Amino acid sequence: MSPKLELLDQQAEKIILESPYRDQWEADYGAFVLKNMEINQKLSDEAILQDLVKESELCQKYSKASATASTIFRGEECNFYGLLKHMQSTDRDERKEAMKAWGDLYEKISGDLDSIYDQMVELRVGIAKKLGFGSYIEFVYLNRGRYDYTAKDVEVFRKQVRDVIVPICSKIRQEQAKRLGVDKLHYYDEPLYFADGNPMPQGNKDTLVKKAQHMYHEISKETGEFFDFMADHELFDLETKPGKRQGGYCTFIEGYNAPFIFSNFNGTSADVDVLTHEAGHAFEVYTAAPAMPIPSMVFPTMEIAEIHSMSMEHFAYPWMKDFFGEKADDYCYAHLAEALVKIPYMVAVDEFQHRVFEKPAMTAKERRNVWHELEKIYLPWRDYDGHPFLEEGGFWMQKQHIFLFPFYYIDYALAQICAIQFYGRAKKDRKKAWADYYRLCQAGGSKGYFDLLKLAELDNPFHEGTVKKTVDGLLEDLFK
Ligand SMILES: [Zn+2]
């Protein structure tokens, strides 16, 4: 239904744009809303309606294929999430076995996933063509609200990541290998930061939610009220169940000004990350929605939205002792290291998609070659210990964003650079950092990317030097 509704939206927006009251609209709601409406006129058309329905069906097919895939691991039925949990075991054999089962399971469904992706790429290229765009990349940048920067700017950002962040991550991995006492860090060692185990949150789902509630009451008055609202109205679906869709997200129930959080708790520290990351999104929605006259002004573009969520993860550090007890410092170290180590991976996912849509006729094998090549550049430490499917570049297909949310991934890297700026600011002046963050949440999606960065006094990640300046502030915490 959603493509049909989008068309109706577009028609309504056309009426506003051509109305004699247009200037009044701009005065009341700001220029950005009208700019969005103008660009929307180019992004949808009756001619692509069936294609969008088909795209949505393919997305569901992908979700189903990955959610229902399971295997027997040590006598227990495991989906991908379950296997990832075994990959954090302190027993290296168990980790290795789990990675093998995980890679095998992807290999088993890779034929289906490749075929779904082939159809998606063809369909998406066709959609862009029918709308009169030169390429899908051109279309998707506008579709994601990227008005302030182009694919060329993203290339410059990726270069900063290669030059500044990759070498630091290599050093983090070397130290990790030393801590674990292994000669060579394999992929199945990467998730384990400490030889005696990663910090695990203490307590079940209900306890964790209670602890989060306590934390949000201490962080600020606003966050306390927000979390009470979430808890009182049961706006969570947190626990994993067989056949449940993978991943986690926060969405917005229009008309109730209510955020809603979905996730797959698995007993690891990722559960706490849901209660900080997704709650960061939810806090923004809760804060901005009542003040925004129309729903489309609530969510900003994703480079900003992920600042809300990722910064909340960092703001929550002082309360991690409630969740992890005496392992709180370990958690914070691993979290910070992960924040950095994921950036080159995100950038690789982004470059992969650019490469795919620059040459949409690529075969599945060629796509795997591209991923393998990118791993060598961005993840030079990566080693799958001889697993043939993963070694030849099969790893890309475990990234659901590539299938479901094309080109949505660089946003995380751009946002993390800003979240780290908030982290650095909070170390010096927590009050100011929180005030800047809260101002950003209040502004919702009422302005464009660069304007919102300015509003929160954040350095623009595309400017040469920002990445280095930002990351330099972390080094004292990462290498003590
Ligand atoms: Zn997020």
Side-chain angles (χ1 to χ4, degrees), residues 361-461:
M362 255 195 269
T363 63
K365 175 92 179 69
E366 284 168 327
R367 283 197 296 257
R368 284 204 268 279
N369 290 343
V370 169
W371 179 258
H372 181 64
E373 212 179 285
L374 292 172
E375 276 185 339
K376 281 193 183 147
I377 297 169
Y378 291 103
L379 314 167
W381 55 84
R382 181 57 60 86
D383 184 314
Y384 296 106
D385 199 11
H387 191 283
F389 180 70
L390 297 174
E391 289 287 358
E392 66 157 42
F395 187 80
W396 75 266
M397 57 175 44
Q398 56 82 47
K399 190 72 265 164
Q400 66 164 345
H401 294 68
I402 297 176
F403 293 85
L404 302 185
F405 315 107
F407 287 80
Y408 172 27
Y409 215 54
I410 192 72
D411 317 62
Y412 288 110
L414 295 168
Q416 189 62 269
I417 295 298
C418 294
I420 293 171
Q421 289 177 44
F422 273 132
Y423 170 75
R425 197 173 298 173
K427 277 200 292 184
K428 289 190 199 109
D429 184 348
R430 190 168 169 105
K431 220 172 143 193
K432 163 142 181 62
W434 183 260
D436 293 342
Y437 171 79
Y438 189 48
R439 199 164 58 248
L440 186 67
C441 290
Q442 283 171 312
S446 60
K447 288 185 168 63
Y449 179 40
F450 285 3
D451 284 339
L452 287 170
L453 288 181
K454 274 190 209 124
L455 182 81
E457 295 176 31
L458 291 162
D459 292 333
N460 188 317

Side-chain angles (χ1 to χ4, degrees), residues 349-357 401-402 406-409:
V349 168
D350 179 66
E351 189 165 334
F352 176 78
Q353 297 184 83
H354 280 86
R355 298 268 296 266
V356 166
F357 282 95
H401 294 68
I402 297 176
F407 287 80
Y408 172 27
Y409 215 54

Side-chain angles (χ1 to χ4, degrees), residues 248-250 277-278 281 302 305-307 309-310 313 408 412:
Y249 61 80
C250 163
H277 181 102
E278 300 307 337
H281 287 303
M302 298 320 289
E306 297 302 344
I307 301 177
S309 52
M310 290 171 152
E313 296 178 41
Y408 172 27
Y412 288 110

Side-chain angles (χ1 to χ4, degrees), residues 165-200:
I165 299 186
V166 171
I168 300 173
C169 295
S170 293
K171 205 171 149 198
I172 290 173
R173 291 301 189 203
Q174 277 163 21
E175 291 202 347
Q176 187 180 359
K178 240 187 273 166
R179 252 196 329 272
L180 296 182
V182 298
D183 291 343
K184 173 99 192 75
L185 200 77
H186 292 303
Y187 175 62
Y188 48 78
D189 300 317
E190 286 184 18
L192 187 71
Y193 273 83
F194 303 94
D196 62 346
N198 285 344
M200 292 290 181

